[in-house]
């Protein structure tokens, strides 16, 4: 593998300090110069205003897009609690865009929480779904243009609007906020977005794992009630599904997926001056999927390389914040705690309320698993510390093996073989802080391999708790050092793979080959006495974060394969873990959501 580029080095001290609650240093960058000014940290005594209004029944209408397609919307207005009459206003508007037919962010919620606190809530059905016209697509520029048209309508045509608009919603309803924010242009009425339950890079996050397509888009298509003008046999979304299933262009990380990469959208979003608060869960469909958006937003704001890790000595802005909690997909989003956090964001940017929320030097809010506490940070990861373990005879050892050794896996469509390697009990507590690399040297009897790795911790009583996983298709093993992350001493922590058709190389049967498997990030305190375990599978285990669906050609090349994983002095397979001291994380003074 090529020597790592210096710019992708995680340049962090071993300790990241969180500033006192009395003051913080906000670094301002303008015209290439960096200056510092003292500002208060997040105002922890801010409380959401009490409900002052009731909510109207939904008012249904349509909005015509630039190409003539009519999008169905419903509008909920603040009303007088006593008389039921519409409140006089004007009010800012919150907009959500839903592909699931019901025109609300949640079938049981019309945005009442926000309406009761002085917002008009507008929900649209994404084109090609519900009562909206047009053909359904899978995200992208067209939905962004629709969102921009809806923002303009909500600001300048909708009765009762004060001309300021925010975007709300979780999952698909969160992700399409990024495309709208990229499409509105400068000086728009859009003042803030809250993309909750979102990921950052569709191909690597959800629609493929390790270069192997998943059934995710097809599953979304099944859940979408089709609009009156949509033909599921010919709509643009069906093209994506068919190509992924057959091994066409979109089964690779081609130009189509690059255009949908939220990280690559970020210069446009930042250039349009749109603040964003994101949220995801460590147990989400793609755990910690918003971390890439956080990194790219901060880097875009300060004109750094988009996907580089953020070091503690680099400036950050409170305009782009992220929350990662101990949650599954969408969990707690429409409960009061996370509603209040979103409200605070909207009050900050749409009502100019003095919440202090944006005046923070630590805009990344992470739940520390195991410690059950919230941590605020600017950097991600918090530390550059890295620790290497080598595969031994069922063990993970700190030095390279001195004897010859190997273990075998068989690929079967019916079941997955598993190899397990475990450390000795830790003598000191450690903090798992970021992504993990598992590098295997292996021989295969077939021209393709499918290798997955799972990171777990093992309690003294034998309880095993999964932390992260990753998959790699052997023919997509090429590493892009520009996109990879490296810790101390050039230790590979996050291998970046192009996953393009051009980067694909068949596996040579019988030849020892290096495979660098990227495991998802996690943030967990591991107590002393616990052990760390890596499990290697010939295909993803049942608890993988999202299943894969290899193409017919991939299945043909995988069938009957036997893999020999080397653990010898000449070919020492290893694991690079982002382990640092727990003191690298200082507990937050704020509560960023439920602890379970």
């Amino acid at each position: 593998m090529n020597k790592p580029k210096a710019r992708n080095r995680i340049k962090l001290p071993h300790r990241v300090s969180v500033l006192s609650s009395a003051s913080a240093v906000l670094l301002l960058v303008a015209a290439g110069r960096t200056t510092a000014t003292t500002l208060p940290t997040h105002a922890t005594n801010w409380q959401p205003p009490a409900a002052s209004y009731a909510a109207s029944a939904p008012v249904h209408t349509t909005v015509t897009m630039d190409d003539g397609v009519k999008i169905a919307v419903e509008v909920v207005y603040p009303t007088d609690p006593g008389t039921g009459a519409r409140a006089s206003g004007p009010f800012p508007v919150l907009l959500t865009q839903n592909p699931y037919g019901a025109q609300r962010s949640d079938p049981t919620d019309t945005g009442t929480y926000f309406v009761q606190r002085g917002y008009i809530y507008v929900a649209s059905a994404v084109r090609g779904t519900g009562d909206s016209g047009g053909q359904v697509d899978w995200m992208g520029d067209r939905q962004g243009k629709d969102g921009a048209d809806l923002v303009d309508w909500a600001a300048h045509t909708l009765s009762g609007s004060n001309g300021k608009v925010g975007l709300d919603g979780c999952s698909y309803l969160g992700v399409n906020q990024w495309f709208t924010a990229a499409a509105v242009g400068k000086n728009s009425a859009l003042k803030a977005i809250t993309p909750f339950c979102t990921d950052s890079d569709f191909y690597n996050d959800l629609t493929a794992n390790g270069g192997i397509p998943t059934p995710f888009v097809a599953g979304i298509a099944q859940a979408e009630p089709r609009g009156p003008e949509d033909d599921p046999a010919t709509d643009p979304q069906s093209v994506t599904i068919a190509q992924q299933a057959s091994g066409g262009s979109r089964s690779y990380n081609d130009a189509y997926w690059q255009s949908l990469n939220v990280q690559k959208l970020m210069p446009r979003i930042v250039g349009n001056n749109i603040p964003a608060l994101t949220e995801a869960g460590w147990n989400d469909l793609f755990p910690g999927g918003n971390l890439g958006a956080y990194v790219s937003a901060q880097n875009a704001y300060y004109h750094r390389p988009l996907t580089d890790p953020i070091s503690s000595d680099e400036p950050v802005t409170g305009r782009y914040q992220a929350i990662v909690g101990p949650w599954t997909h969408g969990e707690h989003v429409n409960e009061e705690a996370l509603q209040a956090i979103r409200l605070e964001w909207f009050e900050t940017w749409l009502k100019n309320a003095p919440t202090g929320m944006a005046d923070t030097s630590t805009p990344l809010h992470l739940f520390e698993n195991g410690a059950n506490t919230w941590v605020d940070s600017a950097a991600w990861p918090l530390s550059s510390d890295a620790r290497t373990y080598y595969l031994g005879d069922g063990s993970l050892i700190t030095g390279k093996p001195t004897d010859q050794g190997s273990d075998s896996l068989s690929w079967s469509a019916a079941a997955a073989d598993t190899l397990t390697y475990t450390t000795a009990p830790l003598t000191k507590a450690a903090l798992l802080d970021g992504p993990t690399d598992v590098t295997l040297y292996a021989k295969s009897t077939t021209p393709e391999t499918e290798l997955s790795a799972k990171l777990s911790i093992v309690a003294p009583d034998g309880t095993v708790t999964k932390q992260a996983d990753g998959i790699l298709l052997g023919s997509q093993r090429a590493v892009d050092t520009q996109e990879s992350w490296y810790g101390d001493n050039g230790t590979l922590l996050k291998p970046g793979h192009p996953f393009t058709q051009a980067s694909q190389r068949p596996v040579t049967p019988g030849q020892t080959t290096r495979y660098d498997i990227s495991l998802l990030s996690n943030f967990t305190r591991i107590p002393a006495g616990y052990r760390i375990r890596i499990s290697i599978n010939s295909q993803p285990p049942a608890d993988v974060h999202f299943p894969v669906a290899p193409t017919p050609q991939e299945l043909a090349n995988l069938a009957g394969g036997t893999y020999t994983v080397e653990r010898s002095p000449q070919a020492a397979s290893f694991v690079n873990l982002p382990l640092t001291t727990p003191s690298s994380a200082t507990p937050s003074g704020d509560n960023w959501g439920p602890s379970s």
Side-chain angles (χ1 to χ4, degrees):
M1 188 174 64
N2 293 334
K3 182 179 179 181
K5 301 293 184 181
R7 72 173 183 83
N8 287 33
R9 173 84 152 64
I10 304 174
K11 306 182 295 295
L12 299 169
H14 295 302
R15 180 174 177 82
V16 177
S17 62
V18 177
L19 301 179
S20 71
S21 60
S23 64
V25 175
L26 177 66
L27 296 175
L28 302 175
V29 173
R33 296 191 300 273
T34 303
T35 59
T37 185
T38 299
L39 291 171
T41 56
H42 175 223
T44 55
N45 60 349
W46 183 89
Q47 295 295 322
S52 300
Y53 303 95
S56 74
V59 178
H60 297 270
T61 187
T62 61
V63 182
T64 303
M65 302 293 99
D66 63 291
D67 62 352
V69 166
K70 293 185 181 300
I71 298 296
V73 302
E74 66 176 25
V75 185
V76 179
Y77 292 95
T79 60
D80 183 279
T83 66
R86 269 183 55 183
S88 58
F91 300 101
V93 180
L94 299 183
L95 166 68
T96 192
Q97 302 168 73
N98 193 342
Y100 300 120
Q103 294 169 12
R104 300 180 275 278
S105 59
D106 182 282
T108 63
D109 177 29
T110 58
T112 301
Y113 179 88
F114 301 103
V115 175
Q116 290 175 337
R117 288 158 178 83
Y119 293 84
I120 299 171
Y121 202 86
V122 175
S124 71
V126 168
R127 84 166 41 211
T129 69
D131 294 330
S132 290
Q135 291 264 73
V136 71
D137 201 352
W138 171 246
M139 307 294 182
D141 285 344
R142 181 60 262 175
Q143 285 191 25
K145 291 177 182 177
D146 288 351
D149 283 349
L150 289 166
V151 166
D152 185 72
W153 168 82
H156 302 117
T157 304
L158 179 63
S159 173
S161 169
N162 73 354
K164 294 183 178 181
V165 180
L167 302 183
D168 185 42
C170 165
S171 192
Y172 197 122
L173 297 81
V175 174
N176 58 23
Q177 295 179 44
W178 295 116
F179 295 96
T180 297
V184 292
K186 299 181 185 298
N187 304 314
S188 78
L190 183 60
K191 302 304 178 186
I193 62 175
T194 57
F196 271 37
C197 331
T198 65
D199 53 71
S200 307
D201 175 358
F202 284 129
Y203 186 85
N204 284 308
D205 291 0
L206 284 174
T207 63
N209 283 336
I212 306 172
T214 75
F216 184 79
V217 182
I220 293 294
Q222 292 177 355
E224 292 170 331
R226 300 309 174 96
E229 298 172 6
D230 183 71
D231 182 351
T234 61
D235 62 38
Q237 188 180 66
S238 298
V239 174
T240 299
I241 296 168
Q243 288 196 6
Q244 285 199 296
S246 65
S249 174
R250 293 182 186 179
S251 66
Y252 300 96
N253 194 11
D254 64 359
Y256 172 78
W257 292 114
Q258 290 295 311
S259 73
L260 300 185
N261 187 329
V262 169
Q263 298 166 110
K264 295 182 183 299
L265 289 178
M266 214 56 75
R268 290 164 57 190
I269 295 168
V270 170
N272 289 341
N273 200 33
I274 312 298
L277 170 68
T278 75
E279 177 268 0
W282 292 123
N283 300 307
D284 216 319
L285 293 174
F286 184 84
N290 61 335
L291 287 167
Y294 170 79
V295 166
S296 58
Q298 295 290 349
N299 285 335
Y301 190 83
Y302 289 102
H303 308 290
R304 301 185 295 249
L306 279 179
T307 57
D308 275 10
I310 300 173
S311 301
S312 62
D313 59 354
E314 294 176 314
V316 293
T317 173
R319 296 178 63 83
Y320 298 99
Q321 300 193 34
I323 303 168
V324 188
W327 311 312
T328 57
H329 189 63
E331 190 176 15
H332 302 303
V333 166
N334 279 331
E335 295 173 13
E336 188 168 3
L338 290 178
Q339 283 181 321
I341 290 171
R342 301 207 308 280
L343 177 66
E344 185 175 5
W345 191 251
F346 292 131
E347 295 277 299
T348 300
W349 300 108
L350 275 69
K351 294 187 177 180
N352 299 318
T355 66
M357 191 177 192
D359 302 330
T360 177
S361 61
T362 53
L364 178 60
H365 317 295
L366 304 172
F367 189 84
E368 185 179 348
N369 299 297
N372 295 327
T373 189
W374 286 98
V375 168
D376 292 332
S377 177
W380 179 253
L382 275 65
S383 169
S384 62
D385 290 348
R387 195 179 303 179
T388 299
Y389 289 94
Y390 293 89
L391 272 58
D393 186 5
S395 61
L396 290 175
I397 54 180
T398 56
K400 286 187 177 182
T402 56
D403 298 324
Q404 300 295 322
S406 63
D407 300 298
S408 294
L409 289 169
S410 295
W411 190 93
S412 167
D417 274 0
T418 302
L419 301 173
T420 302
Y421 306 89
T422 309
T423 67
L426 299 184
T427 58
K428 295 181 179 179
L431 177 63
L432 180 68
D433 171 37
T436 294
D437 164 67
V438 175
T439 294
L440 302 178
Y441 291 94
K443 296 177 183 177
S444 173
T445 61
T446 48
E448 187 61 276
T449 60
E450 182 180 13
L451 290 163
S452 69
K454 179 170 67 173
L455 170 65
S456 304
I457 56 175
V458 185
D461 66 2
T463 301
V464 179
T465 305
K466 176 185 169 183
Q467 300 299 306
D469 61 26
I471 308 168
L472 182 64
L473 187 69
S475 61
Q476 290 288 4
R477 63 192 179 276
V479 172
D480 181 353
T481 58
Q482 293 283 332
E483 295 295 325
S484 299
W485 287 9
Y486 300 88
D488 285 346
N489 301 315
T491 303
L492 179 64
L493 288 173
K494 183 183 177 184
H497 300 283
F499 295 132
T500 62
Q501 196 161 9
S503 69
Q504 192 170 35
R505 306 196 307 271
V507 173
T508 302
Q511 179 176 303
T512 299
T513 303
R514 175 170 171 158
Y515 304 97
D516 300 289
I517 307 172
S518 180
L519 274 60
L520 300 174
S521 293
N522 212 324
F523 193 63
T524 300
R525 184 177 299 190
I526 308 173
Y530 277 58
R531 294 174 293 157
I532 299 172
R533 175 171 293 171
I534 291 291
S535 305
I536 308 298
N537 292 83
S538 56
Q539 56 176 296
D543 62 351
V544 67
H545 72 274
F546 205 84
V548 294
T551 68
Q553 186 60 58
E554 289 166 355
L555 289 171
N557 290 337
L558 288 165
T562 298
Y563 313 145
T564 302
V565 177
E566 302 287 347
R567 43 180 180 83
S568 61
Q570 301 82 12
S573 299
F574 59 87
V575 180
N576 289 329
L577 291 166
L579 293 178
T580 188
T581 60
S583 61
S584 295
T586 303
S588 172
D590 295 314
N591 177 14
W592 294 100
S595 60
S596 63

